[in-house]
Amino acid sequence: MMSLPFYQKLHQHYDRSYRNKDLRTTMSQYQQEKRSSAIYTHGSTAYSARSSAAHRQESEAFSQASTTSYQQQASRASELALSSSVSQKAASAYNYGYSRGRTDSSLMLEDYSSKLSPQIKRARKGLLSGEEKENLPSDYMVPIFSGRQVHVSGITDTEEERIKEAAAYIAKRKLLASEEGITAAKQSTVSKQSTSTLHQEEAFEKKSRKVAIREKAEHLELRKTLEETEAYHRKLNEDNLLHAPEFVIKPRSHTVWEKENVKLHCSVAGWPEPRVTWYKNQVPINVHANPGKYIIESRYGMHTLEINACDFEDTAQYRASAMNVKGELSAYASVVVKRYKGEFDETRFHAGVSTLPLSYADAEIEGAPASPLDVVCLDANKDYIIISWKQPAVDGGSPILGYFIDKCEVGTNNWSQCNDTPVKFARFPVTGLIEGRSYIFRVRAVNKNGIGLPSRVSEPVAALDPAEKARLRSRPSAPWTGQIIVTEEEPTEGIVPGPPTDLSVIEATQSYVVLSWKPPKQRGHEGILYFIEKCDAGAENWQRVNTELPVKSPRFALFDLAEGKSYQFRVRCSNSAGVGEPSEATEVTVVGDKLDIPKAPSNIIPSRNTDTSVVVTWEESKDAKELVGYYIESSVVGSGKWEPCNNNPVKGTRFTCHGLTTGQSYIFRVRAVNAAGLSEYSQDSEAIEVKAAIAAPSPPCDITCLESFRDSMVLGWKQPDKTGGAEITGYYVNYREVIDGVPGRWREANIKAISDEAYKISNLKENMVYQFQVAAMNIAGLGEPSAVSASFKCEEWTIAVPGPPHSLKYSEVRNTSLVLQWKPPIHSGRTPVTGYFVDMKEANAKEDHWRGLNEAALKNTYLKVQGLKEGVSYVFRVRAINQAGVGKPSDLAGPVVAETRPGTKEVVVSVDDDGIISLNFECDQMAPNSEFTWSKDYVPTEDSPRLEVESKGNKTKMTFKDLGVEDLGIYSCDVTETDGIAASYLIDEEELKRLLALSQEHKFPTVPIKSELAVEILEKGQVRFWMQAEKLSGNAKVNFIFNDKEIFEGPKYKMHIDRNTGMIEMFMEKLQDEDEGTYTFQVQDGRATGHSTLVLIGDVYKKLQKEAEFQRQEWIRKQGPHFAEYLSWEVTGECNVLLKCKVANIKKETHIVWYKDEREISVDEKHDFKDGICTLLITEFSKKDAGIYEVILKDDRGKDKSRLKLVDEAFKELMTEVCKTIALSATDLKIQSTAEGIRLYSFVTYYVDDLKVNWSHNGAAIKYTDRVKSGVTGEQIWLQINEPTPNDKGKYVMELFDGKTGHQKMVDLSGQAYEEAFAEFQRLKQAAIAEKNRARVVGGLPDVVTIQEGKALNLTCIVWGDPTPEVSWLKNEKLLASDEHCNLRFEAGKTAYFTISGVRTSDSGRYGLVVKNKYGSETSDFTVSVFIPEEEARQGVEEPPKGHKGNKKSP
């Protein structure tokens, strides 16, 4: 069956008009034709068109079919079908038989009537795609086409079959003209009575002999005609093929301002010539309906649609449809019309809904954002509908704060706002809907300036569950039969539904959370409702969310949740029987946007396209999730005003910005968008001037003669500076003779374009002078010819040295290097070229600054120039050398600036998992027609059997099939259609070894081991064998080997593999003698293998076994009270010794006992175990404290002890630390004057004999004498200098030696310090002398004397003084003189006598002896009490106790 466009398939007239009337119109056509030769004289049109009369008949047949009632069509269907089937059998038989040289009537026996329906068939709508159905307008009418390609009957696939079909039509025409042969068809259409099929076939088969002979004659005639026609068409169409339409140039999208004109162009190829029809939004454009609005032209194969005075209504998608007998092809383009500010049309808004075709039309509020885009429904059910949209490209100059969502029930104009506060996320669940009703939605954006205009409305969405929608769609379309089937079920008691399953949070934002679950399996026969409950994470206070309105569908959106807070959710089911058990709670969900705003795109690169458009490319945002697309904005340089380039987010990283002003410079920026919002703007691109990217190339330059012969010359030239934005496809050379300085006319040297930049011009005249010019060509056309070259004489060159190299070019330009390439000279001289020399200089340097880059001649025709200065411009030249010498230099290459361009990438070598080595290159600056070219040593590798190249998009890969020594070299990759983008990679011998080793490692991979097999003892004495791999996959396996035998997990061995960390472990409870040997872990991860071995034999194993046993005993010990830290000593700051230990696992009943030398030490204080530390303080530690100390912990769980030996070396070590602490406690040396001399001293905490004290004076040890002495008094360490002299001046150092280290204290006894000390010594010395010689009472006088009256009182007192003191007596503070009653005398200068011969009561009183000399005086007092005997008994008790007398002294 032929291929038809959708507008023909969609209508009911198709089957009838295309099946039944084909033969009727064809037969009437051929009966009315006058000339049979018309079929052949029109070429290809003979089988692709029919006369206008046939078209009119078909139109009438269609009209009749469409107006006749259904019953009449049904009654005539059998007759019509039979007629057409018989006619088609006849045609098919002739067609088949004549094309194969047969006349067998058996070929006609196929029953075509079985293929036809008794009723008129409707159009097969299933052949139309869903997208086409949606794009069809409701009021679409079938377009009527005029022309020879529009209405074709029986379109076939090949031209040869069309010719055969035409021959069959000729046979039918002749048979009908003779009124012989087939008559059943006419009878079936005229007769109104029903006749059997058998009678019709008999009439059809009834033939005369004359007819058979005629058919045979016709066969010969037609065969001859067929051969002539085939020969004619072979000449007419050499390729003998039909071509479906193909767009050579597709129409391009445009963005224009209002009132401007726009043209859409396209060019179509195909055979027969396709007919092009233009559509707007899938509706054919009628130029007569809008005169002057549209102009459609077709000239020279270019089809044009021009739209005049564009307005908003012209914003649409336009389609160019090309169709011929081989099929139909369409190309699309969009036209966007932008409006200037200040011209907003209020009439375009009604009922609050915007009908503007542009989403970024100016808002009514100045500075308000534009309308959101693409409002669609993501999910719908009974309780809510989730709406999503795209953020607008224009935010009004300030960030968008959020969006308001409006809903409207279909069939009404009542819009209501769904949210009270703006939502930032571009998705929102709308609740409060009525089940079963349909709604439309729109979205408005808001910023600080106000609310923008609403978006276009969404498609209608019904508030139904998806299952309910599917059920409604699946309802049968057959009419009701009137039968009702009633089924009876036994009544059952209500069943309480079970808990829902698979409850999960499918979406969570800062505004809402969406839950989804599956209905319970146990639910009964009635419907169920759902109640949702929530609680704070970690709590059990569940709260019902939907208390008033139960949920009907297994999804629900929750609002009014605190942002940043964590929740859990669960669901209960309910029906008339009750409320079921809750589902399992969800995981903890934090309320907040799970989707981050994307990062800004980068590397914005604009490139020229047309004179009104620019192509912008960028690198996609990194780590962007659910990316919707990108917005592009443009700004005229210096204006500071940004305009959007697209109104819908663009997917991909490339966009063409239209509607730009030619010659104006623009900058661009891009930002990404997803449901979370818009990213920051990218950095501004570089400025670019808008002009056409493709133009004819500029003229070549520097034409030179490379070699000359007697009748030919070889020219060379440089490529044009400007290629016009496209690759140079060839060159054309012109030449002219110059006779006596007068040039002749130009002649063409070549008809076919030259691809190289050198050409040999032949058939020249010897000794004639010629001038040349060259023009370059690209796809845009032929450029201007070059300037006329210098005059060259055509003569045989006989110079011995080679000519200049040519075609110099540079590539791989970097900051410090580039690669220079050239081609060998055409003229090699008398001997072959043996090498090349390369010269270089800075572009602005003088000619004498040329310097050679190579000392030895180069064999290659390339050189990598190193050591360039970044940013400096250079030029280069090359000279060839042979045995005769060095030839002329080439033309200059350059100038070129040594700099690495932004975005430059290098060739990267990689080795895949199969060990295959490849070189990879990526280019982000490719033109549409750019290609990658790989070279080895700068020779293309296209046909190399050792390499395989694969390129896709902007990436290319060259793979080595078998890398070996023959592959050593420099591999480079050039990108055509670019400004010299290239990179290279050197594979030398070292790199070859590295790559082969890496390939071997990848081909036979090993599991990388992070830690080799090791063993350790655990707390309970368990033994842990472990190793760690760098990484392990989920399929990794490990074999455990002991002494070459695999061991498995069991009572003795426990294995564990952590594939996330790569840790492999094996545990053993205890090491026994039979466990001595070799342990190996074998790892296999995919194809990679690895192993690690540990040998435990001999002393190594015994030591490990001993350690394991020790750890096991330690664990047993720690089950009761034990020492976490054993007994140790510490010297405190007070120079005391503190014995301490740390205990663990103790309780109140635990006792601690201290021992020294096995004798218990009584401790005054009770130990407090709160801090776990037990101590014993030993003050003023000395040798007597040496010994063995022991502390024991014990309770009902066991005991533990710790010993500390403080004897011998341990005691010496402790004493050293004690002495050190004492030495460090010493105060600074001080100076003290005494009566004997000067004393130097220092105090320590306390002194022990182990601390050695040494004194030195001015660096020399002091020799102790009676005058200079050292000693210790209590805590004072001193040096006594008696009777000091000036020689004692100087620095004194006291060194305290603790047994290991000396600690020094120093004092300077000189200068003023000495003078003051010496003066004080003199003073104290004199005071001592005075004290020594002062008058004093040595003794003899009592304090109190009690005597009986009448008795004699004799007192004697010893007095001393030098000189001899004077003596006097006092009584009651009055001088007492000697008399008879009281005798006072002083003898020998030292004895004083006091005598009273008979005491009286009047002698009672206080007496005093006063002694005095020049150094001082002293008074000795005593009391005399006289009593009467009779009063003795009474006063005896009142007598004061006797005591020592007191003396008073005075100086």
Side-chain angles (χ1 to χ4, degrees):
M1 181 177 172
M2 68 181 216
S3 176
L4 294 169
F6 72 90
Y7 46 77
Q8 292 179 356
K9 296 179 182 179
L10 197 62
H11 295 277
Q12 297 180 3
H13 75 275
Y14 162 69
D15 279 334
R16 181 178 181 187
S17 60
Y18 277 75
R19 290 177 184 267
N20 298 337
K21 79 183 174 186
D22 280 346
L23 287 179
R24 290 191 288 109
T25 55
T26 303
M27 287 188 291
S28 62
Q29 171 191 357
Y30 281 102
Q31 286 175 353
Q32 294 174 3
E33 283 183 352
K34 301 295 185 180
R35 295 174 296 174
S36 60
S37 60
I39 300 176
Y40 305 99
T41 57
H42 288 82
S44 63
T45 63
Y47 57 84
S48 62
R50 291 177 295 174
S51 65
S52 61
H55 180 71
R56 287 194 299 271
Q57 290 178 3
E58 292 169 353
S59 302
E60 293 171 0
F62 168 69
S63 301
Q64 181 181 0
S66 61
T67 57
T68 306
S69 66
Y70 179 83
Q71 291 81 3
Q72 292 175 344
Q73 291 177 358
S75 63
R76 295 171 52 192
S78 59
E79 298 174 1
L80 189 59
L82 179 60
S83 172
S84 61
S85 64
V86 173
S87 301
Q88 289 180 2
K89 278 202 292 185
S92 301
Y94 279 107
N95 188 10
Y96 188 86
Y98 290 160
S99 63
R100 291 162 179 76
R102 298 179 183 178
T103 58
D104 190 357
S105 62
S106 64
L107 299 173
M108 306 178 186
L109 296 179
E110 184 179 356
D111 186 5
Y112 280 75
S113 63
S114 62
K115 297 184 179 180
L116 297 178
S117 171
Q119 296 181 356
I120 297 176
K121 292 186 178 180
R122 297 181 181 269
R124 297 184 181 179
K125 298 183 179 181
L127 299 176
L128 201 61
S129 69
E131 184 178 358
E132 290 175 335
K133 291 178 181 178
E134 293 178 358
N135 294 332
L136 281 177
S138 58
D139 56 347
Y140 174 74
M141 297 297 294
V142 179
I144 303 301
F145 295 94
S146 60
R148 54 190 178 88
Q149 286 115 343
V150 176
H151 199 81
V152 182
S153 172
I155 295 180
T156 54
D157 291 336
T158 63
E159 184 179 3
E160 185 176 353
E161 293 178 3
R162 293 294 303 151
I163 297 171
K164 297 172 184 177
E165 184 182 13
Y169 287 153
I170 296 172
K172 287 189 289 183
R173 180 179 61 81
K174 291 185 178 181
L175 289 174
L176 294 171
S178 63
E179 296 183 355
E180 296 181 71
I182 303 172
T183 59
K186 292 182 179 180
Q187 294 174 359
S188 63
T189 57
V190 175
S191 176
K192 300 297 181 179
Q193 300 177 357
S194 175
T195 57
S196 66
T197 305
L198 180 61
H199 291 167
Q200 291 179 358
E201 289 184 357
E202 288 177 355
F204 175 75
E205 295 292 343
K206 188 176 181 180
K207 297 180 182 179
S208 64
R209 184 168 175 267
K210 182 178 179 181
V211 172
I213 296 174
R214 175 129 187 175
E215 287 178 354
K216 200 167 187 179
E218 288 288 347
H219 165 66
L220 296 175
E221 181 184 355
L222 287 174
R223 186 159 188 176
K224 181 179 179 181
T225 304
L226 181 63
E227 292 175 355
E228 293 176 354
T229 304
E230 287 178 344
Y232 169 77
H233 282 290
R234 279 195 297 269
K235 295 179 181 179
L236 182 67
N237 188 8
E238 294 181 358
D239 59 0
N240 199 30
L241 294 173
L242 298 178
H243 299 286
E246 180 181 359
F247 281 90
V248 179
I249 300 176
K250 295 182 179 180
R252 305 185 69 171
S253 299
H254 288 74
T255 301
V256 297
W257 294 104
E258 273 189 311
K259 308 303 182 183
E260 289 186 343
N261 299 343
V262 65
K263 279 187 178 182
L264 304 180
H265 304 272
C266 69
S267 179
V268 187
W271 183 259
E273 180 182 353
R275 178 185 178 89
V276 175
T277 306
W278 292 91
Y279 294 81
K280 174 184 177 182
N281 289 336
Q282 306 300 332
V283 178
I285 295 176
N286 188 351
V287 297
H288 303 292
N290 298 287
K293 180 65 175 180
Y294 303 102
I295 300 176
I296 299 178
E297 296 181 347
S298 297
R299 295 181 180 180
Y300 311 108
M302 182 65 73
H303 304 273
T304 305
L305 169 64
E306 182 176 0
I307 308 173
N308 295 318
C310 293
D311 56 20
F312 273 133
E313 297 297 336
D314 295 317
T315 298
Q317 185 184 63
Y318 292 83
R319 176 167 70 96
S321 173
M323 184 181 68
N324 63 8
V325 295
K326 289 299 291 180
E328 187 266 348
L329 185 65
S330 296
Y332 297 85
S334 296
V335 173
V336 176
V337 182
K338 296 199 294 188
R339 163 176 286 180
Y340 292 100
K341 289 189 176 181
E343 298 183 3
F344 185 74
D345 189 358
E346 292 287 346
T347 62
R348 296 187 181 273
F349 287 83
H350 58 85
V353 181
S354 172
T355 59
L356 282 178
L358 276 179
S359 64
Y360 54 79
D362 295 344
E364 291 181 341
I365 300 176
E366 185 69 25
S371 304
L373 311 168
D374 297 346
V375 180
V376 296
C377 166
L378 292 183
D379 186 16
N381 56 41
K382 300 176 184 177
D383 301 295
Y384 71 89
I385 295 175
I386 294 182
I387 300 299
S388 75
W389 59 91
K390 295 179 182 177
Q391 292 87 342
V394 178
D395 57 11
S398 62
I400 294 176
L401 303 177
Y403 302 89
F404 287 110
I405 298 88
D406 302 333
K407 69 179 179 181
C408 177
E409 186 176 343
V410 174
T412 69
N413 291 324
N414 300 324
W415 287 95
S416 60
Q417 187 169 297
C418 302
N419 54 316
D420 297 329
T421 58
V423 293
K424 295 184 178 180
F425 209 71
R427 284 200 294 269
F428 185 77
V430 179
T431 57
L433 307 176
I434 301 176
E435 181 181 353
R437 297 191 181 181
S438 296
Y439 296 87
I440 56 177
F441 302 89
R442 67 185 185 188
V443 183
R444 295 170 293 157
V446 60
N447 63 7
K448 67 178 184 180
N449 298 319
I451 302 176
L453 295 174
S455 66
R456 291 182 180 179
V457 298
S458 68
E459 293 294 329
V461 183
L464 290 173
D465 282 343
E468 182 67 14
K469 293 180 182 179
R471 187 182 68 81
L472 294 175
R473 290 195 192 100
S474 62
R475 286 180 178 175
S477 58
W480 181 53
T481 61
Q483 297 180 357
I484 301 176
I485 301 175
V486 179
T487 61
E488 294 184 0
E489 294 183 1
E490 296 182 0
T492 58
E493 296 183 359
I495 300 176
V496 177
T501 58
D502 297 343
L503 176 62
S504 62
V505 177
I506 61 174
E507 186 170 353
T509 71
Q510 63 183 4
S511 303
Y512 63 90
V513 170
V514 179
L515 301 178
S516 175
W517 61 90
K518 290 183 180 179
K521 296 180 180 179
Q522 177 184 342
R523 55 188 297 180
H525 296 286
E526 58 181 315
I528 56 176
L529 301 176
Y530 301 97
F531 291 100
I532 291 85
E533 298 177 351
K534 70 175 182 179
C535 78
D536 296 340
E540 289 296 331
N541 53 337
W542 290 95
Q543 302 175 0
R544 184 167 293 180
V545 177
N546 57 329
T547 55
E548 299 179 356
L549 185 63
V551 178
K552 301 176 182 179
S553 58
R555 278 171 294 184
F556 188 71
L558 287 82
F559 296 87
D560 300 328
L561 300 176
E563 183 178 359
K565 196 172 181 180
S566 299
Y567 293 92
Q568 286 182 292
F569 307 94
R570 68 184 186 185
V571 180
R572 293 177 184 264
C573 299
S574 69
N575 59 12
S576 60
V579 179
E581 293 295 323
S583 66
E584 294 185 1
T586 63
E587 297 291 335
V588 175
T589 300
V590 180
V591 177
D593 292 337
K594 303 298 182 183
L595 187 63
D596 295 330
I597 295 177
K599 296 180 181 178
S602 59
N603 196 21
I604 315 302
I605 301 176
S607 57
R608 292 191 178 97
N609 188 34
T610 67
D611 56 355
T612 60
S613 63
V614 168
V615 176
V616 180
T617 60
W618 59 89
E619 290 185 4
E620 62 183 9
S621 302
K622 296 181 179 178
D623 302 327
K625 296 180 180 179
E626 299 184 23
L627 192 66
V628 175
Y630 299 90
Y631 281 121
I632 301 91
E633 295 184 0
S634 64
S635 174
V636 177
V637 174
S639 68
K641 181 180 179 182
W642 291 92
E643 293 288 344
C645 298
N646 59 316
N647 64 325
N648 247 334
V650 176
K651 292 187 179 296
T653 57
R654 180 185 175 93
F655 182 73
T656 303
C657 300
H658 296 279
L660 306 179
T661 304
T662 305
Q664 191 71 265
S665 294
Y666 288 84
I667 56 177
F668 300 86
R669 66 185 185 185
V670 184
R671 59 177 174 175
V673 59
N674 64 6
L678 294 163
S679 73
E680 297 292 332
Y681 284 105
S682 66
Q683 292 185 350
D684 297 348
S685 70
E686 295 182 356
I688 186 171
E689 182 181 356
V690 179
K691 60 181 181 181
I694 301 177
S698 62
C701 57
D702 295 343
I703 301 175
T704 183
C705 181
L706 301 177
E707 190 170 8
S708 179
F709 304 95
R710 288 188 304 170
D711 59 351
S712 62
M713 302 175 72
V714 179
L715 294 182
W717 57 88
K718 282 187 178 181
Q719 180 177 299
D721 294 335
K722 300 179 180 178
T723 62
E727 184 181 4
I728 301 294
T729 57
Y731 299 92
Y732 289 94
V733 181
N734 296 332
Y735 69 94
R736 65 184 180 185
E737 298 177 354
V738 179
I739 302 175
D740 296 331
V742 179
R745 65 180 181 85
W746 288 106
R747 300 179 183 179
E748 294 181 351
N750 60 308
I751 298 176
K752 189 175 181 180
I754 307 163
S755 59
D756 294 331
E757 287 144 20
Y759 182 63
K760 182 177 182 180
I761 305 173
S762 304
N763 300 322
L764 301 179
K765 299 177 182 178
E766 188 177 4
N767 296 325
M768 178 63 71
V769 177
Y770 291 92
Q771 289 180 341
F772 304 90
Q773 63 178 193
V774 184
M777 182 183 68
N778 62 10
I779 60 175
L782 187 66
E784 294 294 328
S786 66
V788 178
S789 70
S791 299
F792 301 109
K793 188 175 183 180
C794 183
E795 59 183 355
E796 186 78 29
W797 278 5
T798 58
I799 56 178
V801 296
H806 64 98
S807 300
L808 272 70
K809 69 174 184 177
Y810 49 83
S811 61
E812 303 177 35
V813 181
R814 303 293 186 266
N815 289 337
T816 59
S817 65
L818 58 80
V819 174
L820 184 68
Q821 303 176 55
W822 60 88
K823 291 184 179 179
I826 303 298
H827 176 69
S828 61
R830 294 180 181 175
T831 58
V833 173
T834 58
Y836 303 92
F837 290 96
V838 181
D839 301 332
M840 176 188 74
K841 75 177 184 71
E842 295 184 9
N844 298 327
K846 297 181 180 179
E847 289 297 317
D848 57 355
H849 283 69
W850 284 101
R851 63 184 180 90
L853 297 179
N854 55 310
E855 296 181 358
L858 298 171
K859 300 297 182 182
N860 301 319
T861 57
Y862 62 87
L863 174 65
K864 185 166 186 177
V865 183
Q866 305 275 8
L868 302 180
K869 297 178 181 178
E870 183 177 357
V872 178
S873 181
Y874 296 90
V875 292
F876 302 88
R877 68 185 184 187
V878 183
R879 296 172 294 165
I881 184 174
N882 61 7
Q883 291 182 358
V886 179
K888 293 182 179 180
S890 66
D891 289 335
L892 301 183
V896 56
V897 178
E899 62 179 0
T900 303
R901 296 184 179 179
T904 300
K905 297 185 178 181
E906 302 296 340
V907 174
V908 178
V909 64
S910 65
V911 182
D912 63 13
D913 292 340
D914 296 326
I916 298 176
I917 302 170
S918 61
L919 298 178
N920 303 269
F921 184 64
E922 181 179 356
C923 178
D924 295 332
Q925 306 175 24
M926 298 181 68
N929 299 324
S930 294
E931 295 180 354
F932 293 101
T933 302
W934 285 94
S935 303
K936 178 186 177 183
D937 294 332
Y938 300 97
V939 177
T941 60
E942 295 176 354
D943 301 328
S944 175
R946 302 184 59 81
L947 303 171
E948 182 177 337
V949 177
E950 178 184 0
S951 300
K952 185 176 181 180
N954 64 336
K955 297 180 181 179
T956 181
K957 178 172 70 174
M958 184 178 69
T959 305
F960 294 94
K961 296 181 179 179
D962 185 15
L963 186 64
V965 178
E966 53 269 37
D967 296 313
L968 297 177
I970 301 174
Y971 291 86
S972 60
C973 182
D974 294 82
V975 185
T976 63
E977 302 277 348
T978 61
D979 195 5
I981 295 179
S984 62
Y985 192 86
L986 173 63
I987 299 182
D988 53 14
E989 293 183 358
E990 292 297 326
E991 182 66 7
L992 177 65
K993 292 179 181 179
R994 187 186 74 85
L995 292 177
L996 290 178
L998 190 60
S999 175
Q1000 184 72 10
E1001 181 180 344
H1002 285 212
K1003 192 179 298 183
F1004 304 101
T1006 59
V1007 177
I1009 304 299
K1010 189 175 183 179
S1011 298
E1012 295 290 342
L1013 183 59
V1015 64
E1016 65 176 347
I1017 306 300
L1018 302 182
E1019 182 183 14
K1020 296 182 181 181
Q1022 292 178 321
V1023 183
R1024 173 179 176 255
F1025 294 87
W1026 66 278
M1027 65 174 288
Q1028 187 175 11
E1030 291 286 349
K1031 59 180 180 178
L1032 290 176
S1033 69
N1035 299 322
K1037 297 181 180 179
V1038 180
N1039 296 327
F1040 300 87
I1041 309 298
F1042 172 60
N1043 289 342
D1044 299 330
K1045 292 183 180 180
E1046 187 173 1
I1047 55 179
F1048 303 94
E1049 186 164 356
K1052 186 173 183 178
Y1053 304 103
K1054 304 294 181 183
M1055 287 83 167
H1056 177 259
I1057 302 173
D1058 189 344
R1059 292 176 174 81
N1060 294 327
T1061 60
M1063 184 65 69
I1064 304 169
E1065 299 172 301
M1066 182 179 76
F1067 299 92
M1068 297 175 63
E1069 289 295 331
K1070 187 177 181 181
L1071 282 180
Q1072 300 176 352
D1073 293 341
E1074 59 267 21
D1075 296 323
E1076 183 178 2
T1078 302
Y1079 294 83
T1080 302
F1081 287 4
Q1082 296 178 349
V1083 186
Q1084 183 172 1
D1085 193 355
R1087 296 190 303 112
T1089 60
H1091 73 278
S1092 184
T1093 300
L1094 181 65
V1095 179
L1096 298 177
I1097 298 175
D1099 294 339
V1100 175
Y1101 180 76
K1102 292 179 180 178
K1103 182 179 179 181
L1104 182 67
Q1105 188 179 25
K1106 184 178 180 181
E1107 175 68 17
E1109 181 63 22
F1110 171 76
Q1111 291 295 341
R1112 191 172 69 87
Q1113 294 298 329
E1114 276 290 287
W1115 181 81
I1116 295 173
R1117 179 181 68 86
K1118 292 180 181 179
Q1119 301 311 301
H1122 63 276
F1123 291 95
E1125 293 179 5
Y1126 287 104
L1127 197 59
S1128 62
W1129 55 261
E1130 175 185 333
V1131 180
T1132 66
E1134 294 78 16
C1135 301
N1136 299 324
V1137 174
L1138 183 68
L1139 303 183
K1140 64 178 182 176
C1141 58
K1142 188 173 183 179
V1143 297
N1145 197 16
I1146 57 177
K1147 58 183 181 178
K1148 293 181 179 180
E1149 293 78 10
T1150 303
H1151 297 281
I1152 182 169
V1153 184
W1154 291 88
Y1155 294 89
K1156 177 189 177 187
D1157 297 332
E1158 299 181 354
R1159 297 179 64 182
E1160 184 176 349
I1161 302 174
S1162 60
V1163 180
D1164 297 334
E1165 298 180 0
K1166 187 177 181 181
H1167 290 284
D1168 184 5
F1169 296 114
K1170 288 184 178 180
D1171 55 359
I1173 303 296
C1174 294
T1175 59
L1176 177 65
L1177 183 64
I1178 306 174
T1179 59
E1180 297 186 1
F1181 191 83
S1182 60
K1183 291 182 179 180
K1184 62 182 176 61
D1185 298 311
I1188 299 175
Y1189 291 82
E1190 185 177 31
V1191 59
I1192 297 178
L1193 285 173
K1194 58 183 178 178
D1195 59 19
D1196 56 348
R1197 298 170 297 169
K1199 71 175 183 177
D1200 194 10
K1201 63 181 179 179
S1202 176
R1203 300 182 68 189
L1204 179 63
K1205 293 183 178 181
L1206 295 181
V1207 294
D1208 300 332
E1209 294 298 326
F1211 176 78
K1212 291 181 181 179
E1213 181 182 358
L1214 175 55
M1215 284 306 302
T1216 299
E1217 186 66 22
V1218 171
C1219 292
K1220 176 181 177 182
T1221 306
I1222 294 173
L1224 294 176
S1225 69
T1227 62
D1228 293 335
L1229 285 176
K1230 294 183 180 181
I1231 303 172
Q1232 181 184 15
S1233 298
T1234 65
E1236 294 80 15
I1238 298 175
R1239 173 173 288 193
L1240 307 179
Y1241 68 94
S1242 173
F1243 286 99
V1244 294
T1245 303
Y1246 75 94
Y1247 178 79
V1248 293
D1249 294 337
D1250 297 82
L1251 182 64
K1252 307 299 181 184
V1253 181
N1254 297 312
W1255 293 85
S1256 61
H1257 176 224
N1258 292 333
I1262 295 177
K1263 296 180 179 180
Y1264 303 110
T1265 61
D1266 292 338
R1267 193 178 72 86
V1268 180
K1269 300 177 181 179
S1270 174
V1272 178
T1273 304
E1275 288 82 26
Q1276 186 187 64
I1277 305 174
W1278 49 264
L1279 176 69
Q1280 181 69 35
I1281 306 171
N1282 294 329
E1283 297 297 331
T1285 64
N1287 293 332
D1288 296 322
K1289 294 181 180 180
K1291 292 183 179 181
Y1292 288 84
V1293 176
M1294 178 187 70
E1295 182 181 55
L1296 303 178
F1297 186 72
D1298 59 18
K1300 291 183 179 179
T1301 309
H1303 306 272
Q1304 295 181 346
K1305 297 290 183 179
M1306 187 269 294
V1307 66
D1308 188 1
L1309 185 60
S1310 60
Q1312 183 178 356
Y1314 176 81
E1315 297 298 334
E1316 291 177 354
F1318 186 79
E1320 180 67 12
F1321 156 68
Q1322 293 290 346
R1323 186 186 68 79
L1324 293 176
K1325 182 179 179 181
Q1326 293 299 326
I1329 294 173
E1331 181 66 20
K1332 179 180 179 181
N1333 297 325
R1334 177 179 59 83
R1336 67 189 66 176
V1337 178
V1338 178
L1341 291 176
D1343 290 334
V1344 178
V1345 178
T1346 302
I1347 189 169
Q1348 185 178 356
E1349 184 180 13
K1351 296 292 184 178
L1353 176 63
N1354 293 310
L1355 298 176
T1356 302
C1357 178
I1358 303 302
V1359 177
W1360 185 89
D1362 187 16
T1364 302
E1366 298 175 359
V1367 176
S1368 61
W1369 294 87
L1370 298 176
K1371 180 183 179 182
N1372 294 329
E1373 302 297 333
K1374 294 180 180 180
L1375 186 63
L1376 180 65
S1378 178
D1379 58 15
E1380 294 179 357
H1381 179 67
C1382 182
N1383 184 15
L1384 304 174
R1385 64 181 183 275
F1386 180 59
E1387 296 177 358
K1390 61 178 181 179
T1391 305
Y1393 299 96
F1394 179 86
T1395 304
I1396 300 176
S1397 56
V1399 297
R1400 302 186 294 267
T1401 55
S1402 59
D1403 294 328
S1404 297
R1406 185 174 183 79
Y1407 294 86
L1409 171 63
V1410 178
V1411 294
K1412 182 180 181 181
N1413 66 4
K1414 66 177 182 179
Y1415 292 110
S1417 63
E1418 182 176 301
T1419 301
S1420 180
D1421 298 328
F1422 61 94
T1423 301
V1424 177
S1425 177
V1426 180
F1427 65 91
I1428 302 172
E1430 55 270 17
E1431 297 179 356
E1432 182 178 1
R1434 181 173 53 85
Q1435 297 180 353
V1437 297
E1438 297 178 1
E1439 291 181 0
K1442 294 182 180 181
H1444 183 72
K1445 63 181 176 66
N1447 297 335
K1448 296 180 180 180
K1449 61 180 180 179
S1450 61

